Amino acid sequence: MKEREWSTIILAAILISFPIMFFTWIIYAIVMLSTGSKLYGVLVIAASALISIFYLLAYIDVLKAKVFWSLCGSAILVIAITFVLGWRYEQYVEKLKIVDDQAINMRDYEPFREGTKTVSLQEPASLKIRSKLPHLDGSTALYPMYAAFVQAVYKQKEYPYYGQDSEVQVNGTEDAYNRLIKGEADLIFAPAPSKDQEAQAKAAGVELTMTPIGYEAFIFFVNSRNEIQDLTLEQIKGIYAGELTNWKQFGGADEKIRPFQRRENSGSQTMLQKIMKDKQLMEPAKEDVNSGMGDIIKQTASYRNYKNAIGFSFLFYATEMVHEQQIHLLKINGVEANRANVRNGTYPLTAKFYAITAGTDNLKVQPFIDWILSPQGQYLIEKTGYIPLKS
């Protein structure tokens, strides 16, 4: 090929590449902003590169027009299919994370299951529900408690926690509130609702009736290798407001603090928002938001995060349901997070948890709640590992 022809081809390649790459990066930016996925960005780049190559080959007559358009169409089709499959896979993985978080020990607590860890009464329950069973849901951390209620009061049969037709499910705080507001659950067990959940109930024309039934400690933890043992409540708030950013500010290592958070409307995230009060909670990086309660513990325990991570949860879940040895709980204002200090009122981050209804027409619900507040129900709360209202 003559030198002039080569120079023409190179010039053509440059002229073709610039507009294609310009539009590629615009599309790439839009895709990244809307999905936050590098996979999709790579697909955009790959598609543009292939089309550029095909166009250049067509320009120098290596490819005929029909072949060119066929290849371009095939490339776009393959990219589109990969895009859709990738999106579906990410949805599947996200759902799997939630299920995996719940599945840490959930099956072990299923009522009436052989070998269940669910605690039992020492005598027959004073209430028995054999028909029109109230449909229950709730927080992952509270499932062992209300599974114990079911085992004491409901008729004996299988209640798979994940089954759509099961009367006793555990979908986590966020989905439990959603199901309650939609009328798919009669009664849920959860921490207090978020402002968003209160707004959802109001918009749906339902009133959330909340009956406190016990207490639990809200805790913060760091990796077991982190030498920090104690923070004040104001220091915690400063960290999550983005005002305190390095562990050396507390006498620790010269490492940037990585404060993990949970997704919006989860029970522990709502609790974090409540304790911030006068301070604005910082906007977390996407990779620092954990979908499940188990995830936030695993991430903090991870070796690569040992110098800088901090996370939060509820005491029973973090110490009884997840047996993670690579974290240690922080004292708050010098007070250790344990049941004795929750009971005597010295631990500063104690939250009530509730039995919550939203206008159910199931007449068995109120007697059930009354029984939960009775000595038998309160005994099961304490026996499970929570703090009853009267202790």
Side-chain angles (χ1 to χ4, degrees), residues 32 39 65 71 89 105-106 166 184 190 200 212 215 242 328 344 385:
M32 288 297 291
L39 169 65
L71 287 172
Y89 176 73
N105 281 315
M106 293 300 99
S166 178
E184 296 172 2
Q200 288 176 29
Y215 298 94
H328 68 249
N344 64 32

Side-chain angles (χ1 to χ4, degrees), residues 162-300:
Y162 54 84
Q164 291 184 348
D165 298 326
S166 178
E167 293 92 343
V168 184
Q169 298 183 34
V170 53
N171 289 297
T173 302
E174 182 179 6
D175 286 340
Y177 270 108
N178 289 339
R179 294 187 67 235
L180 180 70
I181 292 168
K182 291 176 183 177
E184 296 172 2
D186 297 306
L187 173 64
I188 68 170
F189 300 89
S194 66
K195 291 181 180 179
D196 184 50
Q197 286 158 342
E198 290 174 344
Q200 288 176 29
K202 186 176 181 180
V206 299
E207 182 179 353
L208 299 177
T209 301
M210 301 168 56
T211 304
I213 60 174
Y215 298 94
E216 174 62 320
F218 186 61
I219 61 168
F220 289 85
F221 47 79
V222 294
N223 191 284
S224 59
R225 293 180 176 85
N226 191 324
E227 61 190 47
I228 299 298
Q229 302 290 327
D230 188 355
L231 291 175
T232 67
L233 182 54
E234 287 304 309
Q235 287 172 332
I236 290 286
K237 290 162 67 175
I239 288 172
Y240 277 92
E243 298 169 354
L244 301 172
T245 59
N246 196 298
W247 285 114
K248 70 179 180 180
Q249 294 173 278
F250 313 107
D254 184 7
E255 292 287 342
K256 184 178 179 181
I257 300 172
R258 186 178 186 185
F260 286 117
Q261 295 191 40
R262 292 282 316 285
R263 66 180 186 276
E264 285 291 317
N265 296 323
S266 63
S268 54
Q269 184 70 13
T270 297
M271 183 64 184
L272 175 66
Q273 292 165 343
K274 289 181 184 298
I275 70 170
M276 292 299 289
K277 293 183 179 178
D278 55 323
K279 290 187 180 290
Q280 179 66 42
L281 180 62
M282 67 185 292
E283 185 72 24
K286 184 176 180 180
E287 60 271 19
D288 289 348
V289 177
N290 294 268
S291 61
M293 283 217 296
D295 289 335
I296 199 170
I297 295 174
K298 292 174 187 174
Q299 285 289 321
T300 306

Side-chain angles (χ1 to χ4, degrees), residues 185-187 357-363 365:
D186 297 306
L187 173 64
T357 60
T360 179
D361 58 1
N362 189 319
L363 299 180
V365 169

Side-chain angles (χ1 to χ4, degrees), residues 82-150:
T82 308
F83 192 102
V84 172
L85 290 176
W87 174 66
R88 293 296 297 171
Y89 176 73
E90 287 192 355
Q91 283 191 322
Y92 168 75
V93 169
E94 187 67 20
K95 185 176 181 181
L96 195 63
K97 282 182 180 179
I98 298 172
V99 173
D100 180 63
D101 176 53
Q102 293 179 342
I104 292 171
N105 281 315
M106 293 300 99
R107 186 168 171 76
D108 291 343
Y109 290 97
E110 280 187 3
F112 301 113
R113 183 173 176 268
E114 185 178 354
T116 183
K117 291 182 179 179
T118 298
V119 300
S120 300
L121 289 173
Q122 297 176 328
E123 74 280 338
S126 59
L127 174 71
K128 294 293 182 181
I129 303 177
R130 295 293 181 262
S131 62
K132 295 183 179 179
L133 302 173
H135 285 244
L136 310 181
D137 206 333
S139 164
T140 306
L142 295 177
Y143 177 66
M145 176 195 70
Y146 66 87
F149 299 159
V150 168

